């Protein structure tokens, strides 16, 4: 028995040098998921949730909601703070079919430039609600940059709610304006599974990668859009990866072209809309029609809910990715 106990004591079921995260620090995406579990609303409170999209509430939204309430004017009776207007399709613009975008993206990707880059630069906004406090908005911008030694930094800034489209972070994470919510440096880390492993640029392999990334069926349009958001929150796609993703969008059911839009960063793109059947959300995907690059993703409510004071057409969340 003593020998068996000695063997158990010496065992290391999660070696630091093993695959995935081992016994080392968590990747920033894993940390956000852990924060979401640790900071769920207290008993007696309820956060608005939708079955598949979770209403876009990130862990950061829960963690800094109280701080933002103070920063943005306290717990008044306003239905929301600096709620953005939904993006509108330009009148009389011609919708571009996704198959055409995929074809153009394949041509643009032939020289492989620009290249895939680990990390992201994203501006986002999400609406969080509970049944005993006013709604809270979270406008933020995040830059994640990886170094050659596999370490990386993450800077998160609360953006100006009066100017939601103005970038306040430089590409290397220097703050030009805005309230710093967090600034972290992570030690080197490697992994053979998403999001640490490199996304492929073959469409079939990319679909499998996305399915592993979020453990969801990416043959559905909702699953594909969910996985796309998670992918772009970790990687800045190159031309070949964008072309592969555009091909997946072209095969997606229910993702219909609606015309040209100007996104919140002033960029012109083509909009594609997916109306969820059961989750109450309407998602608008914005693509660069020449390269297939994803510029943004916006979700709006499709029905009123008097209990929370939201109306059909109100913005639930949006993301705008930058290179």
């Amino acid at each position: 028995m003593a020998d068996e106990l000695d063997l158990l004591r010496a065992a290391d079921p999660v070696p630091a040098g093993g695959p995935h995260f081992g016994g080392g620090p968590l990747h920033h995406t894993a940390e956000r998921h852990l924060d979401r579990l640790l900071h769920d609303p207290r008993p007696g409170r309820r956060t608005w949730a939708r079955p598949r999209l979770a209403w876009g509430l990130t862990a950061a939204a829960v963690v800094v909601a109280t701080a933002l309430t103070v920063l943005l004017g306290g717990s008044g009776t306003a239905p929301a703070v600096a709620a953005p207007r939904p993006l509108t399709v330009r009148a009389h613009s011609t919708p571009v079919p996704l198959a055409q975008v995929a074809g153009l993206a394949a041509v643009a990707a032939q020289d492989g430039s620009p290249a895939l880059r680990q990390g992201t630069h994203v501006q986002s906004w999400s609406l969080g609600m509970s049944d005993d406090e006013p709604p809270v908005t979270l406008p933020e911008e995040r830059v994640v940059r990886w170094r050659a030694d596999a370490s990386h930094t993450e800077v998160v800034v609360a953006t100006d709610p009066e100017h939601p489209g103005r970038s306040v972070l430089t590409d290397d994470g220097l703050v030009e304006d805005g309230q710093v919510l967090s600034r972290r440096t992570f030690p080197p880390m490697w992994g053979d599974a998403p999001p640490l492993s490199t996304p492929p640029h073959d469409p079939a392999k990319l679909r499998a990668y996305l399915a592993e990334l979020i453990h969801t069926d990416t043959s559905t349009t909702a699953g594909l859009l969910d996985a796309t958001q998670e992918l772009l929150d970790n990687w800045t796609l190159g031309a070949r990866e964008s072309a592969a993703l555009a091909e997946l969008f072209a095969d997606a059911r229910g993702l219909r072209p609606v015309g040209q839009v100007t996104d919140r960063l002033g960029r012109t793109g083509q909009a594609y809309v997916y109306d969820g059947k059961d989750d109450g959300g309407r998602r608008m995907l914005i693509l660069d029609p020449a390269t297939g690059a994803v510029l943004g993703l916006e979700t709006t409510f499709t029905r009123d809910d008097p209990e929370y004071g939201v109306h059909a057409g109100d913005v639930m969340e949006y993301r705008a990715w930058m290179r």
Side-chain angles (χ1 to χ4, degrees):
M1 177 66 72
D3 291 339
E4 292 177 354
L5 288 174
D6 289 340
L7 288 173
L8 288 172
R9 292 189 185 100
D12 185 2
V14 190
H20 309 300
F21 299 106
L26 292 176
H27 180 267
H28 66 271
T29 301
E31 283 206 354
R32 291 204 308 274
H33 292 316
L34 178 60
D35 284 342
R36 183 179 298 138
L37 293 174
L38 294 177
H39 299 88
D40 275 343
R42 303 185 304 271
R45 295 185 61 189
R46 178 173 57 183
T47 300
W48 184 272
R50 51 196 165 107
R52 292 192 54 84
L53 305 183
W55 292 117
L57 292 177
T58 63
V62 180
V63 173
V64 304
T66 302
L68 283 174
T69 300
V70 174
L71 286 172
L72 302 179
S75 56
T77 58
V81 180
R85 294 181 180 179
L87 296 176
T88 57
V89 177
R90 190 170 299 173
H92 309 300
S93 61
T94 302
V96 177
L98 278 164
Q100 181 177 333
V101 173
L104 292 172
V107 173
Q110 288 179 354
D111 65 354
S113 178
L116 175 73
R117 184 173 68 190
Q118 193 169 17
T120 189
H121 186 177
V122 57
Q123 190 171 114
S124 64
W125 183 94
S126 58
L127 177 63
M129 293 173 288
S130 68
D131 55 5
D132 61 353
E133 293 182 2
V136 175
T137 60
L138 177 66
E140 70 171 36
E141 189 171 346
R142 182 166 59 96
V143 167
V144 178
R145 288 291 173 256
W146 287 72
R147 302 188 181 98
D149 65 355
S151 65
H152 67 280
T153 60
E154 179 189 60
V155 180
V156 181
V157 171
T159 58
D160 182 354
E162 298 300 324
H163 303 88
R166 183 163 58 91
S167 179
V168 299
L169 281 172
T170 63
D171 192 54
D172 57 2
L174 297 177
V175 181
E176 295 181 338
D177 191 9
Q179 177 72 32
V180 177
L181 300 179
S182 67
R183 186 191 298 272
R184 297 184 290 177
T185 299
F186 296 82
M189 56 185 67
W190 301 267
D192 58 2
L196 288 179
S197 60
T198 303
H201 54 258
D202 174 81
K205 293 179 180 179
L206 180 59
R207 187 185 296 278
Y209 180 99
L210 294 174
E212 186 178 1
L213 176 63
I214 64 169
H215 305 289
T216 299
D217 183 6
T218 54
S219 65
T220 68
T221 302
L224 178 60
L225 293 175
D226 286 344
T228 295
Q229 178 168 310
E230 188 69 18
L231 174 66
L232 296 178
D233 279 350
N234 288 278
W235 291 85
T236 301
L237 300 189
R240 290 172 178 167
E241 292 76 23
S242 290
L245 189 57
E247 188 168 330
L248 296 183
F249 291 143
D251 292 335
R253 296 182 179 180
L255 193 57
R256 53 188 176 85
V258 294
Q260 194 176 78
V261 298
T262 300
D263 78 354
R264 291 182 174 83
L265 299 178
R267 301 170 299 184
T268 299
Q270 282 286 325
Y272 302 87
V273 167
Y274 175 71
D275 295 299
K277 295 180 180 179
D278 302 317
D279 55 29
R282 176 181 184 264
R283 285 192 271 185
M284 177 184 286
L285 174 71
I286 302 110
L287 301 180
D288 181 329
T291 65
V294 179
L295 303 180
L297 187 61
E298 176 185 84
T299 306
T300 54
F301 292 94
T302 57
R303 54 177 178 259
D304 298 345
D305 194 299
E307 181 180 0
Y308 290 95
V310 295
H311 305 281
D314 287 350
V315 175
M316 184 189 308
E317 66 166 336
Y318 75 78
R319 267 171 157 70
W321 290 279
M322 294 162 266
R323 183 161 185 90

